[in-house]
Amino acid sequence: MSNKVAIIASNGGLFDAYKVFNIATAAAATEKEVAIFFTFEGLNLIHKQGMHALPMPAGAEHFAEGFAKANVPAIPQLVEMAQELGVKLIACQMTMDVMGLTTDDFIEGIEVGGAVTFLEFAKDAAPSLTF
Amino acid sequence: MSIKADFQLDAKELSCPMPIVKTKKAMADLVDGQILEVSATDKGSKADIAAWAESVGHQYIGTVEEESVLKHYIRKCSDDTIDEQTFEYTIELKEAMAREGLILDVREEAEFAFGHIEGAKSIPMGELEGRLSELDKEQEIYVVCRTGKRSDLAAKKMAAHGFTKVFNVLPGMTSWMGHLTKHI
């Protein structure tokens, strides 16, 4: 049985962030080795400023109340927990170049890599998930 | 009745995946065989805690609900398989049931509470040495636990204290298909 979970985060909204980081922290807490590859809008989720103001999908703004009521942890808190549990965060070099971003734009402790970096990790991972 | 646990974790008002993350962290402070009680209000935690324990190799004992708080009980295990059986006299559970003696259940109180054989006496392994006087040396005693590992240690301990009619029940409660009496 594979002990790895590979995740691609390619969207930059608040809902996307919860899908990615909930699965990632749950998997890490279950003693899986987890890596997330952030590409295109997904880079938003680990962007120093961006991660604090992730947009709700249009028309779903009323869910903000539900998030507060369900006592769902804030995204920066979930990211910190994921890192603490050893989740590897990989930012896509090519997308960073396209968007003119450097490692200084992102939170501490991330890695930068290309598609092959992720593929190498994911080759024996089960499941591999895309959000 | 209240269920005995070695550690308590308050994960109330927290949503997924926090109860799991906190449980994982709390489990690090337990030694093998100890029991953690996790209080949570997340309804999904019941299925999640059971799946988590199964996945990482701990024993999920059960859940009770008290005034919309779910209390989960997990026993820490490293490798709870039967690797060596050294006590000479063993008996199958079915055969033990057909005989006259006493079934002695040496699992933890919480495990006993979530399901045991009617009429069995509960003395957790850790308390056995101090409570041997409650047992009759003239009576046949069939020692049972979950898999046969703790009961093996218990049977050896009893033999060392002069009990001659002791049998280790193999494989243990995991193979018991009959009725379970609960105290929850």
Coordinates of all heavy atoms in Angstrom, one line a residue, chain A residues 26 30, chain B residues 15-20 42-55 60 72 74:
Chain A
A26 N -5.4 16.1 7.1 CA -5.9 14.8 7.5 C -5.0 13.6 7.1 O -4.7 12.7 7.9 CB -7.3 14.6 6.9
T30 N -2.6 11.1 9.5 CA -2.8 9.7 9.3 C -1.4 9.0 8.9 O -1.4 7.9 8.3 CB -3.9 9.4 8.4 OG1 -5.1 10.2 8.7 CG2 -4.4 7.9 8.4
Chain B
S15 N -14.0 21.7 13.9 CA -14.5 21.0 12.7 C -13.3 20.2 12.1 O -12.2 20.4 12.4 CB -15.0 22.0 11.8 OG -14.0 22.8 11.2
C16 N -13.7 19.3 11.2 CA -12.7 18.5 10.4 C -11.7 19.4 9.8 O -12.1 20.4 9.2 CB -13.5 17.7 9.4 SG -12.5 16.8 8.2
P17 N -10.5 19.1 9.7 CA -9.8 17.9 10.2 C -9.2 18.0 11.6 O -8.4 17.2 12.0 CB -8.7 17.7 9.2 CG -8.3 19.1 8.9 CD -9.5 20.0 9.0
M18 N -9.6 19.1 12.3 CA -8.9 19.3 13.6 C -9.0 18.2 14.7 O -8.1 17.9 15.3 CB -9.5 20.6 14.2 CG -9.2 21.9 13.4 SD -7.4 21.9 13.0 CE -6.8 22.1 14.7
P19 N -10.2 17.5 14.8 CA -10.2 16.5 15.8 C -9.2 15.4 15.5 O -8.5 14.8 16.4 CB -11.6 15.9 15.7 CG -12.5 17.1 15.2 CD -11.5 17.8 14.3
I20 N -9.0 15.1 14.2 CA -8.0 14.1 13.9 C -6.6 14.5 14.1 O -5.7 13.8 14.7 CB -8.1 13.7 12.4 CG1 -9.5 13.0 12.1 CG2 -7.0 12.9 11.8 CD1 -9.6 11.6 12.8
D42 N -18.0 17.4 16.4 CA -18.0 17.2 15.0 C -18.6 15.8 14.7 O -18.1 14.8 15.1 CB -16.6 17.3 14.4 CG -16.5 16.8 13.0 OD1 -17.6 16.8 12.3 OD2 -15.4 16.5 12.5
K43 N -19.8 15.8 14.1 CA -20.5 14.5 13.9 C -19.7 13.6 13.0 O -19.9 12.4 13.1 CB -21.9 14.8 13.2 CG -22.8 15.6 14.1 CD -23.6 14.8 15.1 CE -24.5 15.7 15.9 NZ -24.2 15.7 17.4
G44 N -18.9 14.2 12.1 CA -18.1 13.3 11.2 C -17.0 12.6 11.9 O -16.4 11.7 11.4
S45 N -16.7 13.1 13.2 CA -15.5 12.5 13.8 C -15.7 11.0 14.2 O -14.7 10.3 14.3 CB -15.2 13.3 15.1 OG -16.2 13.2 16.1
K46 N -16.9 10.6 14.3 CA -17.1 9.2 14.6 C -16.6 8.3 13.6 O -15.8 7.4 13.9 CB -18.6 8.9 14.8 CG -18.9 7.5 15.4 CD -20.4 7.3 15.7 CE -20.6 5.9 16.2 NZ -21.9 5.7 16.7
A47 N -16.9 8.5 12.3 CA -16.4 7.7 11.2 C -14.9 8.0 11.0 O -14.1 7.1 10.8 CB -17.2 8.0 10.0
D48 N -14.5 9.2 11.2 CA -13.1 9.6 11.0 C -12.2 9.0 12.0 O -11.1 8.6 11.6 CB -13.0 11.2 11.0 CG -13.1 11.8 9.6 OD1 -13.5 11.1 8.7 OD2 -12.7 13.0 9.5
I49 N -12.5 9.1 13.2 CA -11.6 8.5 14.3 C -11.5 7.0 14.1 O -10.4 6.5 14.2 CB -12.2 8.8 15.7 CG1 -12.2 10.3 16.0 CG2 -11.5 8.0 16.7 CD1 -10.9 10.9 16.6
A50 N -12.5 6.3 13.7 CA -12.5 4.9 13.5 C -11.6 4.6 12.3 O -10.7 3.7 12.4 CB -13.9 4.3 13.3
A51 N -11.7 5.4 11.3 CA -10.9 5.1 10.0 C -9.5 5.5 10.3 O -8.6 4.8 9.8 CB -11.5 6.0 8.9
W52 N -9.3 6.6 11.1 CA -7.9 7.0 11.4 C -7.2 5.9 12.2 O -6.1 5.5 11.9 CB -7.9 8.3 12.2 CG -6.6 8.8 12.6 CD1 -5.6 9.4 11.9 CD2 -6.0 8.5 13.9 NE1 -4.5 9.6 12.6 CE2 -4.7 9.1 13.9 CE3 -6.5 7.9 15.1 CZ2 -3.9 9.1 15.0 CZ3 -5.6 7.9 16.2 CH2 -4.3 8.4 16.1
A53 N -7.9 5.4 13.2 CA -7.2 4.4 14.1 C -6.9 3.1 13.2 O -5.8 2.6 13.3 CB -8.2 4.0 15.2
E54 N -7.8 2.7 12.4 CA -7.6 1.6 11.5 C -6.4 1.8 10.6 O -5.5 0.9 10.5 CB -8.9 1.4 10.7 CG -8.7 0.4 9.5 CD -8.8 -1.0 9.9 OE1 -9.2 -1.3 11.1 OE2 -8.5 -1.9 9.1
S55 N -6.3 3.0 10.1 CA -5.2 3.3 9.2 C -3.8 3.4 9.8 O -2.9 2.9 9.3 CB -5.5 4.7 8.5 OG -4.5 5.0 7.6
Y60 N -9.6 1.2 17.7 CA -10.7 2.0 18.0 C -11.7 1.2 18.9 O -12.1 0.1 18.4 CB -11.4 2.5 16.7 CG -12.8 3.0 16.9 CD1 -13.0 4.3 17.4 CD2 -13.9 2.3 16.5 CE1 -14.2 4.8 17.6 CE2 -15.2 2.9 16.6 CZ -15.3 4.1 17.2 OH -16.6 4.6 17.4
H72 N -15.0 9.4 22.0 CA -14.4 8.3 21.3 C -13.3 7.7 22.2 O -12.5 8.4 22.9 CB -13.7 8.8 20.0 CG -14.6 9.6 19.2 ND1 -15.7 9.1 18.6 CD2 -14.6 10.9 18.9 CE1 -16.3 10.1 17.9 NE2 -15.7 11.2 18.1
I74 N -9.9 5.2 22.2 CA -8.9 4.6 21.3 C -7.8 4.1 22.2 O -7.3 4.7 23.1 CB -8.2 5.6 20.3 CG1 -9.3 6.5 19.6 CG2 -7.3 5.0 19.3 CD1 -8.8 7.8 19.2

